[in-house]
Amino acid sequence: MQETCGIYAIVNATNKKTYVGQSETVLQRWRQHRSRLDAGTHDNRHLQAAWKLYGADVFDFRLILECAPEKLGENEKLVLAEIAPNKR
């Protein structure tokens, strides 16, 4: 299976809060997130607290946009602006 490069989201199905990220290896990055969240060592304290409060089952991992590595930064900004246009 070939790795996907792109923009992804981790969505809390309970409250719809969304974590957006980018990676040249999206599936590998998701495994890293999952491992750190399960271990209680994730760098994003809000995501970690929600994981602990709601449980792993309410989180959904989604590939938002597949893109070339050189477009990751630009496309992440576009996705963030679309998801949360009033938070800057």
Side-chain angles (χ1 to χ4, degrees), residues 19-78:
Y19 174 99
V20 175
Q22 60 168 289
S23 180
E24 291 186 26
T25 55
V26 172
L27 294 175
Q28 180 179 335
R29 184 68 178 123
W30 168 240
R31 286 190 291 272
Q32 290 171 346
H33 279 295
R34 178 76 191 223
S35 176
R36 290 178 183 156
L37 288 164
D38 286 341
T41 60
H42 199 278
D43 291 335
N44 185 298
R45 64 184 176 96
H46 297 291
L47 182 58
Q48 184 66 67
W51 191 269
K52 183 178 179 182
L53 177 66
Y54 297 107
D57 292 340
V58 305
F59 289 88
D60 182 33
F61 178 77
R62 300 176 187 169
L63 177 63
I64 303 296
L65 179 67
E66 196 171 333
C67 65
E70 61 272 10
K71 295 288 189 177
L72 283 170
E74 175 185 335
N75 285 328
E76 184 180 26
K77 288 177 188 175
L78 292 172

